[in-house]
Amino acid sequence: MDEKRQKRISMLSLALGIALLPPIWAVLAPYIGVSTGAVALICAGLYVTNGNKRCDAFKIAVGFLLGDLWAVCAIWIMEKLPFHPDAELYVTLFVLGGLAVIIGESFAKYIFLPAWLCGWAIGLTIMGPLPVAELHTLPVQIGAAMLAGVVYVGIGVDAFQKWVTGLVRGHE
């Protein structure tokens, strides 16, 4: 099979995988209590950017979940600090950002630091406007969407694409 045809099959199988699998998550997420379903697409994007490396899926998932936890911690800290909101934001991001890098790099075998930082940004974007008392299950919903992004969308679409590509090549 020539390279041009191979690229076309790869592109079309990816398009089919993206068209088929993520919408299933988008439809089902609210039925399982996850209102933050789109987070899965962001997290899948980081998984894919890392090269679809299944060997890194665990540490990417850990990084995202730590980012989710870090967002809750940041919101809680900023509520407790008695300073101007801009100063609270700066100090909180300074301390937690520095700690995330030190911890993430010290345990790089288990934590993918870019996922931690990305997960933290996702969590702050969604939960930042709310006080801790109003978060309820939001951190759990975000965490579930993060895991769905890595496992279902990231690994799932990659496996689907490889399966379809294999079928097409097997019929030639």
Side-chain angles (χ1 to χ4, degrees), residues 63 67 96-97 100-101 112-122:
L96 291 182
V101 171
F112 189 61
L113 180 60
W116 188 342
L117 298 175
C118 183
W120 185 24
I122 291 166

Side-chain angles (χ1 to χ4, degrees), residues 5 12 17 30 34 38 40 55 62 67 83 92 95 102 106-107 111 133-134 170:
R5 180 164 162 73
L12 290 173
V34 177
C55 61
V62 168
F83 310 121
T92 302
V95 172
I102 292 167
S106 296
F107 296 96
I111 302 166
E134 293 179 19

Side-chain angles (χ1 to χ4, degrees), residues 27-50:
V27 170
L28 294 180
Y31 289 101
I32 61 170
V34 177
S35 65
T36 58
V39 167
L41 300 177
I42 299 167
C43 296
L46 186 69
Y47 174 82
V48 170
T49 300
N50 189 52

